[in-house]
Amino acid sequence: MHPPIHLYLYPMGTKQENTERLLLHAKEYAALLGLKVPTPLVLHKTPEGKPCFPRLPQVHVSISHSGSYWLCAFAHEPIGADLQIHRPLSFRAIVKRMYHPLEQAYVQDDPRAFFDVWAAKESYVKFTGMGIRRSLFPSFCTVSGHTLAPQTEGARLIHLPPPTGYSLCLCTTAAGEVEVIPFVSLSES
């Protein structure tokens, strides 16, 4: 049996609140994996900006925030997560410049499709740890025919039901099921 992937979605908090939540959930996930948590547990970023726990490398994390929400996702293998609010945007030039030709055909004039593909692409580059290098966006495809693809470049793309008006995607090689954990206030934890 594979360890689950944990996803926590919160209303946007302060930077301190978000950091406290992240560390709390990292400790919980480490305990789920049967790992001893180092003290102190400190979050670092790679030179490309990917969050990591150097003293707890078995716990992989991804963070995203958009609109009124902040999320963190944990897995036992690399993971990328992205949440995108649907906002008014002139996206045709972006699609032409940054989307694979199959994604361009999929999106056409559909704003929802634009944000679904964008969330998938960002989750993939977060998964790889390469950072958001816009020049690589057209080099991989997140659609298959007339639908969102279940994988790209050997990694799973998991499109989850987002809050209304958002798109949400996880990217990982982890085989576990996704558990969306209801949020609790820091005072309750």
Side-chain angles (χ1 to χ4, degrees):
M1 179 132 159
H2 300 282
I5 298 162
H6 281 184
L7 173 72
Y8 299 86
L9 180 65
Y10 285 92
M12 183 67 79
T14 66
K15 184 175 181 174
Q16 181 178 345
E17 288 172 331
N18 293 343
T19 300
E20 289 174 15
R21 291 171 178 153
L22 182 74
L23 294 174
L24 170 71
H25 298 316
K27 292 172 185 175
E28 292 170 346
Y29 195 76
L32 175 81
L33 298 178
L35 302 172
K36 185 176 189 301
V37 178
T39 304
L41 180 60
V42 180
L43 179 71
H44 287 268
K45 288 189 178 181
T46 66
E48 293 78 19
K50 184 172 179 65
C52 63
F53 299 105
R55 295 181 57 210
L56 194 59
Q58 308 91 327
V59 174
H60 298 267
V61 62
S62 186
I63 303 165
S64 184
H65 53 85
S66 186
S68 301
Y69 292 97
W70 176 88
L71 70 79
C72 57
F74 297 92
H76 67 286
E77 294 185 23
I79 188 163
D82 194 60
L83 178 70
Q84 289 292 320
I85 189 171
H86 300 172
R87 62 188 188 282
L89 178 68
S90 178
F91 59 84
R92 286 182 188 87
I94 297 169
V95 169
K96 187 173 183 176
R97 188 175 76 250
M98 301 183 75
Y99 281 21
H100 186 279
L102 293 174
E103 293 167 335
Q104 293 176 25
Y106 174 77
V107 169
Q108 294 181 10
D109 290 325
D110 181 357
R112 167 78 192 226
F114 169 81
F115 288 109
D116 287 347
V117 170
W118 190 269
K121 291 179 100 53
E122 277 213 33
S123 71
Y124 175 74
V125 297
K126 288 178 177 184
F127 157 78
T128 65
M130 293 185 295
I132 308 294
R133 296 183 187 146
R134 304 295 188 215
S135 61
L136 71 80
F137 262 41
S139 68
F140 62 93
C141 187
T142 62
V143 299
S144 177
H146 301 293
T147 188
L148 295 166
Q151 65 181 23
T152 189
E153 305 293 314
R156 292 171 58 199
L157 292 172
I158 307 166
H159 296 273
L160 296 167
T164 302
Y166 288 80
S167 294
L168 173 58
C169 187
L170 300 181
C171 183
T172 187
T173 52
E177 293 297 314
V178 177
E179 293 180 6
V180 179
I181 313 295
F183 73 86
V184 295
S185 71
L186 289 172
S187 62
E188 294 176 25
S189 54

